[in-house]
Amino acid sequence: MVALPLLMACFVVLRNTGKVQLTGDLFIAVAVGLVLATAVTDQGLFSRVLVWFVTLPLLANFIGYRLRVFQVIGILASGLVGLLVSHYLGWLTPLDAEGEMAGRMMATIGAMVFTGAIAYQYEDSRLLAESARARLEMERRNWMSIVSHELRTPLTAIHGALSLLDGGAIELGGKQSGAIVAMARKNTQRLIDLTNAVLDVEKLEHGPCH
């Protein structure tokens, strides 16, 4: 009765604020609170809801921002200690557990299915991430190969032109030297354009600077 409205409130927060991190922490806090509250009202340390405790740190590992694994474990451990003290003080009296085996079994199965679904989702996301990383690595290598070729060609032409002029094979001031200089200038401009293109790609990757 109480769980559904509280969980719906988490989705309302996400829809209205768009803050996924806040919603994740709120969802975990609600889940932890519900489990502890149910344990208090349902036989304390004898409650069937205790089988769900193991799923909450796992859930925090994937969607938590500030409420991470160890924080949730600390909260649950404190709650368990509180339940233990309550039993010793006589505040909580366990009910007759006879006839509760089916309910305890169903709660355990539910916890296992929930944990398995999270683990499956994690593995699926990991495989997708690895596939995307492999594609990006291939694209990076192809891009580096293209850039290396585009750099090598004008640099080789410029180096050859300078070598001819420096070695005296072509006389300065003549028609041939003018063509050589024009070729070197053309390839220099090609290098400048390529450098600007690389810088533009870098800007697109990191976003506009303000």
Side-chain angles (χ1 to χ4, degrees):
M1 295 292 291
V2 180
L4 185 59
L6 289 176
L7 294 177
M8 289 299 296
C10 295
F11 292 105
V12 171
V13 171
L14 176 61
R15 182 175 181 180
N16 292 338
T17 65
K19 297 180 179 179
V20 179
Q21 296 173 339
L22 174 63
T23 306
D25 284 344
L26 182 59
F27 183 86
I28 294 170
V30 169
V32 170
L34 286 174
V35 169
L36 288 175
T38 304
V40 171
T41 59
D42 180 32
Q43 305 183 54
L45 292 177
F46 297 89
S47 173
R48 72 189 72 173
V49 79
L50 295 184
V51 300
W52 285 89
F53 274 45
V54 296
T55 68
L56 298 176
L58 181 63
L59 183 65
N61 183 63
F62 295 108
I63 68 174
Y65 174 59
R66 295 186 181 279
L67 287 177
R68 301 294 292 174
V69 175
F70 293 110
Q71 286 81 357
V72 172
I73 290 176
I75 295 172
L76 294 175
S78 300
L80 289 173
V81 171
L83 291 175
L84 180 62
V85 172
S86 298
H87 278 292
Y88 275 118
L89 295 177
W91 296 344
L92 292 176
T93 303
L95 301 177
D96 185 8
E98 187 177 351
E100 295 294 327
M101 296 301 295
R104 196 175 299 276
M105 182 188 70
M106 293 302 297
T108 304
I109 292 175
M112 288 191 299
V113 170
F114 182 73
T115 305
I118 294 178
Y120 176 82
Q121 182 63 34
Y122 167 75
E123 183 65 16
D124 187 56
S125 300
R126 186 184 65 81
L127 292 176
L128 287 175
E130 288 184 355
S131 177
R133 189 183 303 112
R135 289 197 302 270
L136 287 174
E137 180 63 20
M138 183 178 298
E139 291 178 3
R140 186 188 68 82
R141 291 179 179 177
N142 292 336
W143 185 78
M144 288 299 297
S145 176
I146 293 173
V147 170
S148 299
H149 175 74
E150 293 295 328
L151 286 172
R152 187 182 298 112
T153 301
L155 282 173
T156 301
I158 294 171
H159 182 268
L162 293 176
S163 298
L164 290 174
L165 293 174
D166 184 58
I170 296 177
E171 184 180 354
L172 291 173
K175 291 183 178 181
Q176 287 184 328
S177 66
I180 291 295
V181 171
M183 182 187 66
R185 183 184 297 111
K186 178 181 178 182
N187 283 282
T188 302
Q189 184 61 47
R190 183 178 176 184
L191 285 174
I192 293 173
D193 293 340
L194 180 60
T195 302
N196 289 334
V198 172
L199 291 176
D200 289 340
V201 171
E202 196 70 18
K203 289 179 181 178
L204 288 175
E205 289 182 351
H206 294 86
C209 297
H210 299 286

